Amino acid sequence: MKIVINGIHANLRFASAHMIPCHQFCGGIHGHSYHVDVTVEGERCGEFGFVADFKTVKGLVRKMCKELDHKLLIPENSKELDFTSKDPVEFSIGTKEYKIPREDCCLLPLPSTSAEELAEYLADKLFQALTSEGDIKSVSVCVNEGIGQGAYFTKTVD
């Protein structure tokens, strides 16, 4: 059985800036009003026979969204970014140099801040957080950059 949470209706959102270094159109700093859809699949269990409690799942995802909200998302593991400092955050991409106050950034352990990478990052975090909630088989996350445009990742039990 599975539960599904629609990010627009459940207010699972964040607004952030990012860049996809060296991409023709997305290489400069730009932003999105993201929303996050979630599906949790598993066996019904516990006192109430839930796969997972909706309130718990929404709370966890909202906390993750809050960490990303109104920040410049920076991929720490990008091959294109050459960091010289992390506080303030200073890096270069080719001949372009950036210096941003640390409190305005969210450094992520990712090679990119694409919707695909963000979906995998959030699915992994949510899966780990829900492992103590019951018999969870998989967690799917869709990070939408806009209505009708998003990337899905599914984390399953190894």
Side-chain angles (χ1 to χ4, degrees), residues 55-115:
K55 186 173 180 121
T56 299
V57 175
K58 290 188 291 186
L60 290 166
V61 176
R62 283 190 184 116
K63 183 178 177 188
M64 291 180 224
C65 288
K66 186 173 182 174
E67 292 171 5
L68 305 173
D69 194 38
H70 287 87
K71 302 287 184 186
L72 173 59
L73 307 181
I74 300 176
E76 284 187 290
N77 300 338
S78 172
K79 293 176 184 173
E80 288 86 13
L81 275 66
D82 183 22
F83 288 93
T84 55
S85 171
K86 300 269 175 104
D87 193 5
V89 179
E90 294 182 67
F91 61 92
S92 61
I93 302 170
T95 59
K96 291 176 80 174
E97 296 181 352
Y98 299 85
K99 182 176 182 179
I100 302 121
R102 179 65 182 95
E103 63 268 17
D104 293 338
C105 300
C106 183
L107 295 169
L108 296 167
L110 303 173
S112 170
T113 53
S114 65

